[in-house]
Amino acid sequence: MFIRDGLYPILTILLILAIIVFLPIYIFIAILILLLTYLILVFRIPNIKASPFPRVFLSPVNGKIISIKEKVLDKELFNEVTIRICPFMSHINLIPLSGRVTNITSTYDVNTSKKITSTMDIITEFGSYKIKQVAEGYFKRIKNNLVKDDIVETHDFFGYTIFKANIVLYIPKTFEITVSLKDSVKAGLDVISRAQ
């Protein structure tokens, strides 16, 4: 019997030893090169120029639209847009619309104490919106680098997710949704919503 948190490193070391013993060295090196390439793609911060259109929400991540619906939060009606992050593109999260962070809340997995959601409230000249990072799957990990009262600009890097994750945008009803279900979107380039 092992403590759960100690079991993962033990199994990882055993797996590495098994690979070294049973695989020829060139296959082991090829696997390491593929893993390194994948990690470089996932954690690369894209170089994106600021949008000339200040009245739009740009996609905060690379992914696919999996849900569009209305949602009431704090007695206010929002458009809720959920984006599933593409596993083979950068997992860096970008600010979709300039503003000021007014609040940040997080929830944690009671079994592992890992952060599984992080929600930011951001106020802009066009109203307030929320952006929520949601970690899923076996490797739950999200990072948010912002604190309350930070001034953020469109395209600013604010955090990342690892492997399976979603980003949920809560957009004011004064904005019109310009994407459809199953649309693929690119971080900082594709318009999610436009001011009416």
Side-chain angles (χ1 to χ4, degrees):
M1 187 67 73
F2 295 96
I3 295 172
R4 186 178 197 175
D5 288 341
L7 192 58
Y8 301 133
I10 291 169
L11 291 175
T12 302
I13 291 170
L14 287 173
L15 179 63
I16 291 170
L17 285 172
I19 289 170
I20 291 171
V21 169
F22 296 111
L23 283 181
I25 191 69
Y26 62 88
I27 293 177
F28 181 68
I29 291 171
I31 291 170
L32 287 179
I33 290 170
L34 287 173
L35 182 61
L36 178 62
T37 304
Y38 175 74
L39 292 175
I40 288 170
L41 286 173
V42 166
F43 294 110
R44 179 184 58 83
I45 299 175
N47 184 15
I48 301 169
K49 295 180 180 176
S51 169
F53 310 109
R55 297 169 61 87
V56 298
F57 275 86
L58 298 176
S59 178
V61 291
N62 298 304
K64 183 176 279 193
I65 306 295
I66 61 168
S67 172
I68 301 171
K69 59 187 177 184
E70 293 184 340
K71 179 88 170 187
V72 176
L73 296 171
D74 303 323
K75 299 180 181 178
E76 188 176 349
L77 186 62
F78 289 91
N79 288 313
E80 179 188 87
V81 178
T82 305
I83 306 168
R84 168 70 42 85
I85 296 176
C86 178
F88 301 107
M89 296 178 79
S90 174
H91 284 212
I92 299 303
N93 303 164
L94 304 175
I95 294 293
L97 181 66
S98 301
R100 179 176 58 85
V101 179
T102 58
N103 191 32
I104 299 177
T105 56
S106 300
T107 59
Y108 296 84
D109 185 318
V110 293
N111 295 321
T112 63
S113 299
K114 290 181 181 177
K115 189 186 294 184
I116 54 174
T117 70
S118 179
T119 306
M120 292 185 303
D121 295 342
I122 299 176
I123 190 164
T124 74
E125 59 181 300
F126 310 110
S128 295
Y129 73 94
K130 298 174 187 290
I131 184 167
K132 180 178 184 180
Q133 298 167 295
V134 182
E136 294 182 352
Y138 184 74
F139 294 102
K140 292 185 175 86
R141 179 134 172 86
I142 56 177
K143 177 71 174 168
N144 184 331
N145 298 325
L146 299 178
V147 295
K148 186 178 177 184
D149 293 325
D150 275 353
I151 303 298
V152 292
E153 298 293 332
T154 303
H155 295 127
D156 281 354
F157 155 67
F158 75 86
Y160 60 85
T161 58
I162 292 183
F163 303 115
K164 190 175 180 184
N166 295 335
I167 294 291
V168 184
L169 287 171
Y170 298 99
I171 301 170
K173 291 296 287 181
T174 54
F175 282 74
E176 176 188 5
I177 302 300
T178 59
V179 291
S180 302
L181 280 177
K182 299 185 180 178
D183 281 357
S184 292
V185 291
K186 291 191 177 176
L189 296 175
D190 291 326
V191 174
I192 300 291
S193 186
R194 188 183 314 276
Q196 295 182 15

